[in-house]
Amino acid sequence: LAKREGRNTVRVASRRLQEQVQETLALARDLRWVVERRELVLHYQAQLDTRSERVVGLEALVRWQHPQRGLVPPGRFIPIAEESGLIQEIGRWVLDEALRQMAAWRAAGLPVVPVAINLSVSQFRHPRLPEDVAEALRRHDLPAHLLELELTESVAMEDSDFTIARIAALKQLGVTLSIDDFGTGYSSLSYLKRFTVDKLKIDQSFVRGLAQSPQDEAIVATVINLARSLGLHTIAEGVETAEQLDFLRRHGCDEVQGFHFHRPAPAEAVAGLLSSETL
Ligand code: C2E
Ligand code: MG
Ligand code: MG
Ligand code: MG
């Protein structure tokens, strides 16, 4: 009996694996038309000043409104887009759409806050990235300081002349640069000396353990101190509880972002949030 059950388990597991592979292939196929068919949407999550709890920025997070499958999260299709090279087209759409939305809100008289977009490694390395960013800012008539680019540590880890020059070129434009998921990249800290980034985003895996894990508390406190000594801003992502917020406040983390305040939401919902901020 045990043997038969074992065989069944294997059969179920392999069927599930097969389904996942099928789904990935189907997504990869449908993804090719995603920009043309206007199926991508941006949701925006508020970033708040830790002390005043006012909204001081937004992070744009892409979703795929799939005609049959509903809203597909980025974790499900961004890796596929990176494999196929479609990430460049998707990335340009994200950049353009986020700035278009900012310009529209500004034209509607809403308070203007910077928007952050996520860049994957291959986007960071694309030859035309600085020109694309400059062009998009010009197209929407927005100053560069209203755009923040979130890079992962894996970008910074590669300590090459190219990386240094690329970061300098982006800084030259006047955009803000932040290191996303800081602390998860197994990188040496020495790049922080050479790369002129502005902000560290403390990864949510550490934030989750605040008020529970002394190790996570030590790591977060250390990152905040490190950033302060280097003149960098800090933002904690994935803040879900009042206890986590309290810790971050006591330790002087500049900004916070997470479900405790606001979930990522479509532009219409965020417009309401922004307008209530003026009161
Ligand atoms: P990320 O940039 O680190 O974004 C944070 C993720 O955590 C988002 O997931 C967000 O919805 C989620 N989050 C925010 N607050 C909380 C919280 O309090 N608790 C928990 N448990 N989660 C929270 P999302 O939107 O699914 O995005 C996942 C990742 O996909 C992003 O991680 C980013 O690396 C990537 N991504 C999203 N949009 C883009 C994009 O336009 N381009 C590229 N290249 N990557 C993107
Ligand atoms: Mg991010
Ligand atoms: Mg992150
Ligand atoms: Mg993350």
Side-chain angles (χ1 to χ4, degrees):
L1 182 69
K3 203 170 186 182
R4 197 181 306 149
E5 267 180 13
R7 227 181 279 136
N8 278 338
T9 309
V10 170
R11 207 173 295 136
V12 169
S14 79
R15 197 190 305 134
R16 224 170 263 142
L17 188 66
Q18 212 179 335
E19 280 166 12
Q20 277 172 22
V21 170
Q22 289 300 334
E23 202 206 38
T24 301
L25 287 173
L27 285 177
R29 186 195 57 217
D30 296 348
L31 196 60
R32 281 185 279 161
W33 318 107
V34 79
V35 172
E36 225 175 294
R37 291 184 180 161
R38 302 167 182 276
E39 290 172 354
L40 293 176
V41 283
L42 291 183
H43 283 189
Y44 300 87
Q45 189 179 29
Q47 303 178 324
L48 295 87
D49 178 84
T50 310
R51 282 154 159 257
S52 67
E53 294 189 35
R54 294 184 66 112
V55 177
V56 291
L58 297 170
E59 178 175 4
L61 295 154
V62 73
R63 277 100 180 81
W64 178 7
Q65 186 63 64
H66 190 286
Q68 283 88 41
R69 296 166 196 272
L71 210 59
V72 184
R76 198 71 193 85
F77 68 92
I78 291 289
I80 301 174
E82 279 168 5
E83 285 277 313
S84 64
L86 271 170
I87 191 65
Q88 304 300 345
E89 193 186 349
I90 292 174
R92 274 190 295 273
W93 181 86
V94 169
L95 172 67
D96 186 70
E97 174 60 14
L99 294 181
R100 188 200 61 73
Q101 187 61 68
M102 292 305 121
W105 280 334
R106 186 172 69 166
L110 291 172
V112 182
V113 295
V115 66
I117 63 170
N118 293 278
L119 291 189
S120 59
V121 181
S122 59
Q123 288 177 271
F124 175 79
R125 298 211 179 113
H126 193 276
R128 279 193 50 85
L129 177 69
E131 288 80 3
D132 284 348
V133 169
E135 260 174 46
L137 287 164
R138 235 177 291 131
R139 189 160 56 242
H140 298 289
D141 193 24
L142 288 172
H145 71 84
L146 288 181
L147 178 65
E148 179 174 327
L149 303 177
E150 297 192 0
L151 314 170
T152 56
E153 264 184 311
S154 43
V155 165
M157 253 187 337
E158 196 214 333
D159 182 7
S160 63
D161 290 348
F162 173 80
T163 307
I164 294 171
R166 176 50 52 103
I167 289 196
L170 292 172
K171 282 302 300 171
Q172 188 80 43
L173 295 175
V175 300
T176 301
L177 297 182
S178 59
I179 302 290
D180 205 351
D181 306 336
F182 185 77
T184 60
Y186 307 101
S187 59
S188 101
L189 292 174
S190 61
Y191 74 85
L192 291 176
K193 262 191 329 200
R194 284 181 308 280
F195 301 157
T196 49
V197 299
D198 305 287
K199 208 189 249 189
L200 302 183
K201 292 197 80 172
I202 304 170
D203 190 65
Q204 43 185 290
S205 61
F206 306 118
V207 175
R208 200 173 303 135
L210 296 180
Q212 279 171 25
S213 149
Q215 286 89 345
D216 284 335
E217 293 190 338
I219 290 170
V220 170
T222 304
V223 171
I224 294 169
N225 282 324
L226 171 76
R228 190 182 295 126
S229 326
L230 293 171
L232 305 177
H233 281 266
T234 45
I235 177 165
E237 60 177 10
V239 179
E240 294 186 351
T241 70
E243 291 74 26
Q244 293 163 352
L245 171 63
D246 181 56
F247 182 95
L248 293 160
R249 197 174 268 149
R250 277 188 286 113
H251 286 79
C253 185
D254 299 311
E255 292 171 27
V256 283
Q257 174 180 356
F259 295 172
H260 179 64
F261 304 99
H262 301 282
R263 286 175 183 260
E268 306 80 66
V270 177
L273 174 67
L274 287 176
S275 57
S276 67
E277 280 289 309
T278 43
L279 301 176

